[in-house]
Amino acid sequence: MELRLSLFGVKRSIDLSGLARFRNTWVVLAASVLVIPLTLWLLAPAAVPDLAHGNVAGAQALKDGWSKGEIIVLVRHVERCDHSKAACLSGHDGITDRSRSVAVSVGAQFEQLGLDKADVYNSPMMRTVQTAGYMFNKAATGEDWLISCKGRMLQDALAHKVPGRNLILVTHSECMAQLEKDLKVPASTLGYGASLFVSAASPAAPQMLGFIEASDWRTVTTQ
């Protein structure tokens, strides 16, 4: 195989026969470069779904599971005072005054889902006690397992789940991250007041449904 070139009347030819034997090797190498990252991408666990922003299928699955009392949901406390320059509600270890309305708004969304067959637990930290109070008009003295959740979040949640009743856990970002780890899904960065939903339709094989950020409930739709 010969490549012929002509420029300004000067002609040159290049013998490419010596390169032919390398052709198959280069093809294999190029394919490997493409296949390896594609394989890794296909094998990687799927990200936690966002149930808001028009995710009709996800929102419908949540609604159906909730109506059957199959859902476990972890709700992160609203804005903590000691990490903000905003005015405190009461006490430096609680929530900010401005975040009360966020808690009330999220609570109203759960009210629409239905709270007649839902059990609510919160951690004993002041920020979760206050959040639960404004979200659900009730707050317990607190459950220590909703703070010390390392390695046991899913196990403890399932142990407190009553068949036919949804379980609402007002807790912390660390516990939400642990639940994702327990379910072997990628960690997500969830904001204050976010909700992380798990289906316990089959307690032996709970499934991650997805999350809803506090400000995104208005975009949740089943139509």
Side-chain angles (χ1 to χ4, degrees), residues 61-72:
L62 168 58
K63 183 179 179 181
D64 293 343
W66 193 270
S67 68
K68 298 173 184 176
E70 298 174 346
I71 303 299
I72 297 173

Side-chain angles (χ1 to χ4, degrees), residues 158-207:
L158 289 170
H160 286 79
K161 171 75 171 62
V162 177
R165 294 184 64 82
N166 298 302
L167 180 63
I168 301 173
L169 306 174
V170 184
T171 184
H172 307 269
S173 59
E174 296 86 351
C175 293
M176 300 171 92
Q178 181 61 55
L179 181 68
E180 292 174 324
K181 184 177 180 180
D182 293 342
L183 288 172
K184 296 180 174 56
V185 298
S188 42
T189 304
L190 301 176
Y192 290 124
S195 302
L196 187 64
F197 296 90
V198 173
S199 171
S202 173
Q207 298 291 322

Side-chain angles (χ1 to χ4, degrees), residues 32-144:
S32 299
V33 169
L34 294 174
V35 169
I36 292 174
L38 179 61
T39 301
L40 293 175
W41 178 75
L42 290 173
L43 294 177
V48 177
D50 184 350
L51 301 179
H53 303 294
N55 182 351
V56 174
Q60 188 64 56
L62 168 58
K63 183 179 179 181
D64 293 343
W66 193 270
S67 68
K68 298 173 184 176
E70 298 174 346
I71 303 299
I72 297 173
V73 53
L74 273 63
V75 184
R76 189 183 179 190
H77 59 81
V78 292
E79 185 180 39
R80 55 187 292 180
C81 188
D82 58 351
H83 284 189
S84 173
K85 294 181 180 179
C88 298
L89 176 63
S90 63
H92 190 62
D93 56 346
I95 63 176
T96 60
D97 183 63
R98 68 185 181 185
S99 67
R100 282 187 299 172
S101 61
V102 176
V104 171
S105 177
V106 172
Q109 299 295 333
F110 278 99
E111 184 69 36
Q112 289 186 24
L113 281 174
L115 294 173
D116 55 319
K117 52 181 180 181
D119 299 313
V120 181
Y121 292 89
N122 56 267
S123 93
M125 299 297 290
M126 180 59 69
R127 55 186 175 272
T128 48
V129 172
Q130 290 177 339
T131 297
Y134 283 104
M135 275 190 185
F136 305 108
N137 297 317
K138 65 167 79 173
T141 53
E143 302 283 328
D144 287 339

Side-chain angles (χ1 to χ4, degrees), residues 15-31:
D15 185 4
L16 298 179
S17 59
L19 297 177
R21 64 179 180 273
F22 295 108
R23 182 177 57 188
N24 290 338
T25 300
W26 283 111
V27 170
V28 171
L29 289 175

